[in-house]
Amino acid sequence: MLRGWIHSKKDNASTHSLDTLAEPQNLEAALRAAAHIMDDDLESAEDGLASGNSSFHKLAKGMVAFLRATLGFEPEIIREAAERLADAETTASTDHRRAQKDSHSYRSAVYPPGAEFSLCHAQTQLMSAVIAVLNESLTESIKGFYKLRKAYVTLNTILDAESRYIRTKSGMDTNTPSRRSVESFRSDRSAPSLKGMPGGFGGATSKPPSIRSFREPTPNSSNSAATKQDGLTNGAQDHHDDDDEDEFYDADDGTTDKLNNLSLDGEGMLDSKDLPAPDNQAARHGILDHDPDSDVFANPIDVFIHSGANLCFGLLLVMLSMIPPAFGKLLFIIGFHGDKDRGIRMLWQASKFHNINGAMAGLIVLGYYNTFIGMSDIIPDSDPTSIDQNTVEGYPKQRCEALLSDMRRRHPKSHLWLLEEARMQAANKHLSTAISILEKPIKSPLKQVEALKMFERSLDAMYMHDYALCAKSFIACVDLNNWSHTLYYYIAGAANVEMYRQHRTLNPTEAAIYAKKATELFKLAPKHAGKKKFMARQLPFDVFVTRKVQKWESRACDWSVSFVDAVGVSPVEEMIFLWNGYKRMDTSQLEQSLLRLSWSETSNPHWKREGPDEKAILSVLYGATLRNLKRYEEAKEHLRAGVLSCDKNELKGGSRDDWTAPAANYEMSVNCWMQRGEARKEGKEAEVKKWVKECESWIEKAATWEKFELDARIGLKIATAQDTLKRWHEKEGTAK
């Protein structure tokens, strides 16, 4: 198709410059080289890109470095990625201005002139934003969030062009009120107006005094942000690129102090050809939903723009919609709320295309369903057997399986798809199958991918109560990845605690070996805390682990017992809860968790010494396990008796675990949501409404809780629950 298109252009060469031909050739060469990325072969990708200097080549070079940086978190690679992306951003900006001025540059029937370079620019900004956060500098992180904001506006403008194209083809006036502006993408949940946003989002009058000389265009109309950002317009006018002129100085000390207070933390698979053709649901959301073989995408440049814009904007919309309550202040930096439904539809659309954009979209879609949805409990109802391509809510099991099958066929050498297959098996409660996939002897040439596989195996072994494999795997993670050695050592130590408790009475000699190993690993864990930071803050689990170890050391001294005997309620079960592993267990594995939890009350000689906060941990863990066994009333009784009836002041302060009270409120809401589902199956609509109302009351309590440890992790579940409840009311016609 590409060669035919180039040939047709040669026949009309008298009206086109050489650049018209070079552009698709550069794009094809860059995409061909970038395809090696999805074979876990970054070296071949580097070699293929080395000879090119186009915006497309530099974008792909930046993507290679970005993947190395985000998969491995090595400081040197992060710096290299930042340099490459800055170079790519500058080149894309220059090419964008050239394309607008040059009448011989490519003119699309869908997109404004230079949109392909504007997309390159936005993609580099998105990756640069992530790299800025990984730099561990607060000031760099804030710069990154502003880059997110600018990329958002640019991508929105590209997608706006698609919406106009759809309306034109359907006979609608492009100036009708249905035109989606930047602000229309805000969530209805109390998203503030863009006017008055920090950073001058509403014009010069709203520029904050602490961020000096960050210049934004002053809007002349309600759509100025959507039509002028980064010079992207419908004509070939000469606009200066914002980033070439904007200066972003370091935040002053006052701003830094304020920002420091932010709380951040295969068998039987379908093939996509087996799925029925979708109706125009995507088009109703303003999405160009044509398949790759459509005449709309006869030009490879249009294919690149469409797949890339849907990938990037879809990802942004989903990410922003999932920000937990504790991260709420970040929305004031970014200036926008997300739209999960539209974002997921865009990612599904991008995944149709057989290029690097489609592959990345496929990874994100599968990661979203198998990881983020797997971390949540209150999600929309869905039929797992449905193969409707319009299904995006809940967990569309068969549609995900079809996508994975397609991606495995497109990229048979990549181990990333094996990782996603393992996650899918775990999500479907097939943990042993997941581990078998991850233990296949063939290794990926990328050490970073092997690290991800090992970490996933470690978690699955923990959920299966295979403590020996769990400890071994987490120790292996230390050699493969340097992101959170504190967490790796801690969970390995926790696994040894369980083996110590299992052998404590029956085989004291072997138990002593496990006790010694557990003590060594627990004492080693805090020594690695603080070596990695997120926005100049310690990682949440580093803080958690340091406090837990200090708590046990203090108890060992006060009680005159060994360190391992001062450990409280099963730290493995606690980790399983915090990673929502109970959702991945079958009935027998859940029963095993109940057995391990019962040890505290039946076999721990020091249980009577425990305070309310440790007993609250046990009650929360019992509640979550029983809920997953569908024993809802038992679960709620444990939560009421062990947590909700306590004075909350007894559950916080000092070395106490203060996360149990908000977690108990969340767990109560989940039980109500599950009971709503049971009532709906039985046709008891009055009970359905009662359970939804009660669910909302518990979620509100959890969402408005004061700051607590691991609030971001639990907050992610709360944010998903709030979105689900909002959607439920919309469908039921009871939206407030």
Side-chain angles (χ1 to χ4, degrees), residues 149 195 199-207 214-229 239 242 246:
R149 187 263 171 186
K195 295 180 180 179
F201 295 170
T205 59
S206 61
K207 187 185 298 182
F214 179 75
R215 303 193 295 110
E216 289 284 349
T218 302
N220 297 318
S221 69
S222 61
N223 290 323
S224 63
T227 57
K228 291 187 177 181
Q229 180 67 20
H239 285 277
D242 293 336
D246 287 347

Side-chain angles (χ1 to χ4, degrees), residues 277-333:
D279 62 20
N280 62 348
Q281 283 286 327
R284 294 173 193 168
H285 285 76
I287 301 173
L288 189 63
D289 63 342
H290 294 61
D291 289 332
D293 57 359
S294 167
D295 290 341
V296 176
F297 302 122
N299 189 292
I301 296 177
D302 286 345
V303 171
F304 170 72
I305 298 171
H306 175 74
S307 60
N310 275 269
L311 162 66
C312 295
F313 201 56
L315 175 59
L316 265 176
L317 290 177
V318 172
M319 286 174 57
L320 294 179
S321 71
M322 295 171 63
I323 291 179
F327 285 7
K329 291 181 182 178
L330 285 182
L331 293 175
F332 287 92
I333 299 173

Side-chain angles (χ1 to χ4, degrees), residues 215 229 288 303 320 329 356 516 538 557 562 569-570 587:
R215 303 193 295 110
Q229 180 67 20
L288 189 63
V303 171
L320 294 179
K329 291 181 182 178
I356 186 66
K516 181 180 178 182
Q538 282 196 54
C557 181
S562 68
V569 174
S570 171
T587 300

Side-chain angles (χ1 to χ4, degrees), residues 121-136:
H121 193 257
Q123 286 183 305
T124 58
Q125 287 181 317
L126 286 177
M127 289 185 283
S128 294
V130 176
I131 292 298
V133 173
L134 294 181
N135 265 325
E136 303 180 2

